[in-house]
Amino acid sequence: MKKLTLIISCLFIVTNSCTDASEEDLIDATPIIENITYVNDVKPLIDNNCISCHNNPPVNGAPMPLLTYEDVKNAVENRGLISRISSEDTGFLMPFGGPRLPQNIIDIVIQWEVDGLLEE
């Protein structure tokens, strides 16, 4: 009799727990991430990690400035900026002299390109 009571109790709990689900429980509430933009996301990264060499004029062998949206956009589209910052070759690390930028920073620049190199 105890086994039967236990089984019935378990069935009651399982049956009633399923009825407590609401529509809100079933909807993914993860916020939608906005597109990456130069002004909000990329410029602060460039300013904090690249400007010491990629200034105007560039120093330490940097081939171009990265001071403006157009500078950085051109570097992504025509100068291999993403492959340069993504490189794991110790003689090719950016910022100059390493260590390599953290992957999450590189991923922001990659996503910026995927999102269409938006300025704002």
Side-chain angles (χ1 to χ4, degrees):
M1 184 68 172
K2 287 184 181 184
K3 284 185 179 182
L4 182 59
T5 304
L6 181 61
I7 292 171
I8 292 172
S9 296
C10 288
L11 287 173
F12 179 77
I13 291 170
V14 170
T15 304
N16 284 337
S17 66
C18 291
T19 60
D20 291 336
S22 67
E23 185 176 341
E24 289 79 29
D25 293 335
L26 303 174
I27 296 173
D28 183 3
T30 305
I32 297 172
I33 298 173
E34 294 182 24
N35 288 336
I36 302 294
T37 67
Y38 173 76
V39 171
N40 293 329
D41 306 292
V42 177
K43 183 176 182 354
L45 301 177
I46 298 294
D47 289 350
N48 290 330
N49 296 288
C50 309
I51 293 302
S52 61
C53 294
H54 291 274
N55 214 312
N56 195 13
V59 296
N60 293 330
M64 73 281 192
L66 294 175
L67 295 174
T68 67
Y69 164 74
E70 289 299 326
D71 290 341
V72 180
K73 179 181 176 191
N74 181 54
V76 169
E77 293 179 322
N78 303 308
R79 311 264 330 213
L81 179 105
I82 291 174
S83 63
R84 178 76 170 162
I85 63 173
S86 298
S87 175
E88 294 186 20
D89 179 349
T90 56
F92 203 61
L93 292 178
M94 287 290 115
F96 180 69
R100 180 178 178 260
L101 290 171
Q103 189 61 48
N104 64 322
I105 290 177
I106 296 167
D107 290 344
I108 290 171
V109 179
I110 292 169
Q111 189 62 47
W112 178 54
E113 180 183 37
V114 169
D115 289 347
L117 302 169
L118 302 172
E119 185 171 8
E120 294 184 45

